[in-house]
Amino acid sequence: MRVYFDNAATTPLDPEVLKEMYKVMESQFGNPSSIHAHGREARTLIERSRKTIANLLHTSPAEIFFTSGGTEADNMAIKCGIVDHGLKHAITSRLEHHAVLHTLEAMEKAGVIKLSFVDTDHKGNVDYAHLEKLLQDNERSFVSLMHANNEIGTLTDIERVGELCEQYNALFHSDTVQTMGHFPHDLSKLKVHFLVCAAHKLHGPKGVGFLHINHRIKIKPMIHGGSQERNMRGGTENVYGIAGLAKALDMAYADMEAHQAHIQGLKSYMLEQLKAEIPGVSFNGETDPGKSLYTVLNVSFPEMDMADMLLFNLDIAGISASGGSACSSGTDIGSHVLTAIGANPSRASVRFSFSKYSNKEEVDFTVAKLKDVCLVKA
Ligand SMILES: Cc1ncc(COP(=O)(O)O)c(C=O)c1O
């Protein structure tokens, strides 16, 4: 048996998505910027995809801009949101994805902004009172806080953050890469200026995603070139990627509740099995449904021999998962997220992340292998 429990890194392509993309690759090869019939056909396909996505998110197609994925969308929101609005202060957390953290840090280093970090607790929860204080003290900030943490799964209340940002006249960007297609985002209600999607996290293709930009704010393009994406992102569109993204999101929304129940069931089951079978095991981040992304379970193992070989040994045993440990002082390797929540650096941590294709047999297999692999010290 070979188990794939690394769905937060990427998900397998859904065969229906592949079919859709194949159809486009085979017959709709026109350049969407060409004015002839082949071009118009490709253009129609892109605009139909944009409309599908906008309808699912309860927004207008004019607010959806296709990108090469999550990293580009995060960069565009942050760089253009800050520069084009003349903002001098940004607020984020130490738990953000590097697509956000490194972008903001580079801007601080270049002298464009002063960067503040909101306090977070040992489970990765944002301290909303501290966030409010930072907003009070720094008028017109740019706030970037992710919806679900990709390593530990802890959720941020982005509705609450949106309210606070509105109150203090801040721009709000949320990296929703891990929740897009897994939680219903209603953009007619959510007070957010920028949201992000990467298709490969929801059984779509790699190298395509989108940035949602609220119609009330305007930014200039980050990538200059042709007039694609209404002059907001130069470059010939990834037509079959965009078609695959729309299909994947459409399918994700159609079956979201069933998938959530199935995956949450597996996560809870694995958590209970691990507690029963591996003495001393604990979990990084929130695990309560409602506070935690149902696709992610981050496990902290008791101290063991060759802890740094755990992922390798799991791989040999037929299980693909990922993770790391907190950085011990003075080293620069390891997980910045686990370090930020104060996880014990001498304990190995593994992120198991599930999808609609995961099943109970795979959980049983993994727990049994973990028992073998974890030569738990007495
Ligand atoms: C939270 C988060 N943000 C951004 C990204 C980057 O997305 P992409 O791989 O599409 O560039 C990822 C992917 O791992 C992610 O998990």
Side-chain angles (χ1 to χ4, degrees):
M1 187 187 248
R2 182 82 220 174
V3 175
Y4 183 73
F5 276 171
D6 201 14
N7 290 279
T10 197
T11 51
L13 205 57
D14 189 296
E16 291 298 313
V17 173
L18 180 59
K19 226 190 272 175
E20 184 76 19
M21 290 171 66
Y22 191 71
K23 204 173 69 190
V24 179
M25 283 182 202
E26 212 175 28
S27 58
Q28 287 155 316
F29 61 87
N31 187 322
S33 298
S34 302
I35 54 170
H36 49 59
H38 283 86
R40 289 199 307 274
E41 202 183 341
R43 161 75 39 223
T44 303
L45 191 73
I46 290 176
E47 295 316 320
R48 207 188 310 134
S49 302
R50 199 187 311 278
K51 197 165 174 198
T52 300
I53 294 165
N55 286 343
L56 293 169
L57 302 181
H58 301 286
T59 187
S60 144
E63 298 192 348
I64 303 295
F65 296 87
F66 292 114
T67 66
S68 66
T71 301
E72 183 191 323
D74 280 334
N75 268 264
M76 186 169 164
I78 294 168
K79 290 178 179 161
C80 302
I82 289 173
V83 172
D84 297 340
H85 288 260
L87 305 182
K88 297 283 173 234
H89 180 251
I91 303 169
T92 191
S93 85
R94 296 198 187 275
L95 278 66
E96 298 300 307
H97 191 273
H98 283 148
V100 168
L101 267 187
H102 287 170
T103 307
L104 285 167
E105 284 165 1
M107 293 186 84
E108 184 180 46
K109 208 167 166 200
V112 182
I113 50 162
K114 177 178 161 290
L115 185 57
S116 300
F117 291 95
V118 67
D119 291 344
T120 46
D121 70 10
H122 69 289
K123 288 189 172 184
N125 293 296
V126 166
D127 180 338
Y128 297 97
H130 185 226
L131 175 61
E132 181 157 16
K133 174 92 176 63
L134 288 171
L135 285 165
Q136 257 164 7
D137 292 349
N138 300 276
E139 239 215 296
R140 289 194 72 226
S141 293
F142 185 92
V143 175
S144 182
L145 290 171
M146 68 204 314
H147 187 200
N149 186 275
N150 51 298
E151 288 194 38
I152 57 173
T154 301
L155 286 167
T156 296
D157 184 348
I158 54 174
E159 280 154 38
R160 189 168 171 186
V161 176
E163 295 287 345
L164 283 171
C165 287
E166 185 177 74
Q167 193 182 336
Y168 293 97
N169 196 22
L171 284 191
F172 178 31
H173 159 250
S174 185
D175 180 339
T176 43
V177 163
Q178 290 292 339
T179 55
M180 191 61 72
H182 300 286
F183 280 86
H185 292 289
D186 182 351
L187 297 178
S188 68
K189 299 204 177 94
L190 194 64
K191 290 177 174 158
V192 68
H193 298 100
F194 304 101
L195 274 195
V196 174
C197 170
H200 71 107
K201 308 288 187 182
L202 51 125
H203 306 287
K206 291 171 183 59
V208 64
F210 65 81
L211 173 65
H212 154 79
I213 308 177
N214 188 297
H215 68 274
R216 286 192 302 274
I217 63 154
K218 297 278 173 274
I219 58 170
K220 296 191 187 111
M222 180 175 76
I223 296 178
H224 297 269
S227 59
Q228 291 90 354
E229 295 301 286
R230 305 184 300 292
N231 289 313
M232 284 293 289
R233 199 254 184 194
T236 301
E237 298 90 337
N238 176 357
V239 185
Y240 35 82
I242 290 170
L245 159 59
K247 178 75 180 172
L249 199 64
D250 201 26
M251 293 180 68
Y253 268 77
D255 289 325
M256 200 179 284
E257 278 179 27
H259 289 157
Q260 175 162 5
H262 169 68
I263 299 167
Q264 180 62 59
L266 288 179
K267 173 174 165 173
S268 304
Y269 175 68
M270 182 155 176
L271 186 144
E272 291 308 324
Q273 291 298 107
L274 287 170
K275 279 205 280 196
E277 300 291 345
I278 302 181
V281 79
S282 62
F283 302 93
N284 295 310
E286 289 287 358
T287 52
D288 286 357
K291 288 186 179 171
S292 166
L293 176 62
Y294 56 89
T295 51
V296 171
L297 181 63
N298 194 309
V299 186
S300 168
F301 290 94
E303 286 184 36
M304 66 179 87
D305 293 332
M306 299 197 301
D308 51 348
M309 297 291 282
L310 181 55
L311 276 179
F312 176 76
N313 286 331
L314 280 177
D315 192 15
I316 300 287
I319 298 147
S320 297
S322 62
S325 51
C327 322
S328 31
S329 58
T331 69
D332 196 25
I333 44 166
S335 155
H336 69 282
V337 174
L338 295 180
T339 303
I341 62 169
N344 180 348
S346 55
R347 287 172 69 111
S349 291
V350 179
R351 176 188 69 182
F352 298 98
S353 49
F354 315 100
S355 83
K356 60 183 178 180
Y357 298 126
S358 307
N359 61 49
K360 187 168 168 291
E361 290 66 44
E362 292 175 327
V363 172
D364 288 335
F365 177 82
T366 303
V367 174
K369 292 289 179 192
L370 280 167
K371 271 180 76 178
D372 290 346
V373 168
C374 292
L375 299 171
V376 182
K377 277 182 182 167

